[in-house]
């Protein structure tokens, strides 16, 4: 259905906004050969249709003291409901996202912590939940996300 809501020009506008949501409408218009007013109408329409659901800021978490990222696989008892799986970690400030998964494991939790001791305490807290039957933690060495320059740490 989303393909019916947007065309190729809309996709270009979305990519430009994803790269930098603070771009001016004039800059976007120059890049997609539309007037500022036409770009505004398209963005407004995509917001009204729910294609654009918000704007955000990218944060350098390392500068805030939360440099370590990890993913933890969670396994739960067979009777655990999906909502309970999600609630297991969403109250934790270390949890950045929770993905429920079909199959094994039951969930994947993206964690951000200050140091290895903090990670250990966080995993211990997750394991104390009575329906968690197992965890496996994977440390992030480096990462890339769409719209981000690579390599972002200066290494080739």
């Amino acid at each position: 259905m989303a393909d019916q809501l947007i065309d190729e020009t809309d996709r270009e506008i979305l990519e430009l906004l994803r790269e930098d949501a603070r771009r001016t409408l004039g800059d976007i218009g120059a890049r997609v050969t539309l007037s500022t007013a036409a770009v505004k109408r398209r963005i407004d329409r995509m917001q009204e249709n729910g294609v654009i659901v918000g704007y955000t800021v990218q944060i350098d978490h390392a500068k805030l003291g939360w440099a370590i990222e990890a993913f933890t696989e969670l396994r739960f008892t067979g009777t655990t409901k999906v909502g309970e799986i999600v609630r297991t970690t969403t109250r934790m400030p270390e949890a950045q996202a929770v993905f429920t998964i079909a199959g094994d494991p039951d969930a994947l939790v993206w964690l951000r912590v200050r140091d290895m001791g903090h990670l250990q305490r966080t995993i211990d807290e997750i394991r104390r939940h009575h329906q968690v039957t197992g965890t496996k933690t994977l440390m992030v060495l480096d990462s890339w996300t769409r719209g981000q320059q690579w390599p972002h740490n200066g290494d080739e």
Side-chain angles (χ1 to χ4, degrees), residues 74 82 85 99-108:
L74 301 181
V82 171
I85 291 171
F99 307 91
T100 55
I101 301 170
D104 184 35
D106 297 303
L108 184 64

Side-chain angles (χ1 to χ4, degrees), residues 108-151:
L108 184 64
V109 181
W110 171 26
L111 299 171
R112 188 177 301 278
V113 295
R114 291 182 297 275
D115 54 40
M116 295 307 290
H118 187 192
L119 178 60
Q120 181 177 342
R121 290 186 302 277
T122 302
I123 299 301
D124 287 345
E125 182 180 343
I126 292 170
R127 287 180 176 165
R128 280 193 293 272
H129 189 279
H130 67 280
Q131 291 180 305
V132 173
T133 61
T135 65
K136 176 182 174 183
T137 301
L138 308 161
M139 298 295 301
V140 174
L141 300 177
D142 204 353
S143 63
W144 171 86
T145 55
R146 189 157 307 285
Q148 175 185 2
Q149 295 291 327
W150 181 263

Side-chain angles (χ1 to χ4, degrees), residues 17-29:
L17 288 171
R18 184 171 32 192
E19 289 172 4
D20 182 359
R22 294 182 62 179
R23 281 186 198 277
T24 65
L25 298 176
D27 177 58
I28 294 170

